[in-house]
Amino acid sequence: MRHAAHDRVDRILCGRMPGVSLGERGRAQAARLAERFSGEQLAAIYSSPLERARETAEPIAASAGVQMTLAPRLNEIDVGAWTGRGFAELGPDPRWQRWNAERGGAEAPGGERMLSVQERVLAELDAIRLRHPGGRVVTVSHADVIKAAICGVLGLSLDRYYAFEVEPASISAIVLWDGGGKVLSLNERCAP
């Protein structure tokens, strides 16, 4: 699932910027997600180490009675020099335009390539699958990371990144097996 909303969503490219916590809306979304998972038998909950992801995962873990584990490979993409910049400011930058048109080959200045993000998140998901065979697991991450994983599971080019949405506090369900997987649901919204 994608972390709940913070006060900079849709305005600022936060990347791995520290101190980005959930806003009032995000805290309400996290509480709603905790309600959504309260009756489910979860094997584990893994979270990106960033505040907004942890603050989303913690109520779910408490409600489900499962300990949350930090998973660094679920971390947000490192957007390098673009960290903390506004989308309106980035719009005219030709590097930003290329990044958004060609995710498979472009990279953020001083940041991480999308292919590297895809490799690390798929490796983490496979490791989680092996640790919890047949178990239901919640992972809390970030839009770019989730999109990279879904593209990988579906065999889509990373350039198809914008073919679907992953909104704050949304749930996307996948099933993984040795050598493959499938998407069960995408961008399920259960929180306002």
Side-chain angles (χ1 to χ4, degrees), residues 62-120:
S63 179
V66 177
Q67 183 175 337
M68 179 190 68
T69 302
L70 294 181
R73 292 188 291 189
L74 296 177
N75 203 354
E76 175 67 285
I77 185 170
D78 181 352
V79 292
W82 291 337
T83 301
R85 294 184 56 195
F87 292 117
E89 176 188 357
L90 289 167
D93 185 335
R95 296 172 303 172
W96 175 253
Q97 293 167 7
R98 181 170 183 254
W99 167 257
N100 287 304
E102 303 171 18
R103 283 292 172 107
E107 68 183 89
E112 192 175 16
R113 295 180 66 93
M114 196 70 169
L115 185 58
S116 298
V117 173
Q118 187 177 59
E119 290 170 353
R120 72 172 158 85

Side-chain angles (χ1 to χ4, degrees), residues 133-186:
R136 296 188 69 175
V137 176
V138 169
T139 60
V140 181
S141 191
H142 309 270
D144 282 357
V145 180
I146 295 167
K147 285 184 167 201
I150 290 171
C151 283
V153 169
L154 292 176
L156 296 175
S157 161
L158 286 168
D159 293 343
R160 296 291 297 146
Y161 169 89
Y162 283 104
F164 55 91
E165 269 309 312
V166 175
E167 297 177 17
S170 69
I171 301 165
S172 298
I174 60 174
V175 173
L176 298 174
W177 54 80
D178 192 25
K182 66 181 176 180
V183 175
L184 299 178
S185 68
L186 183 65

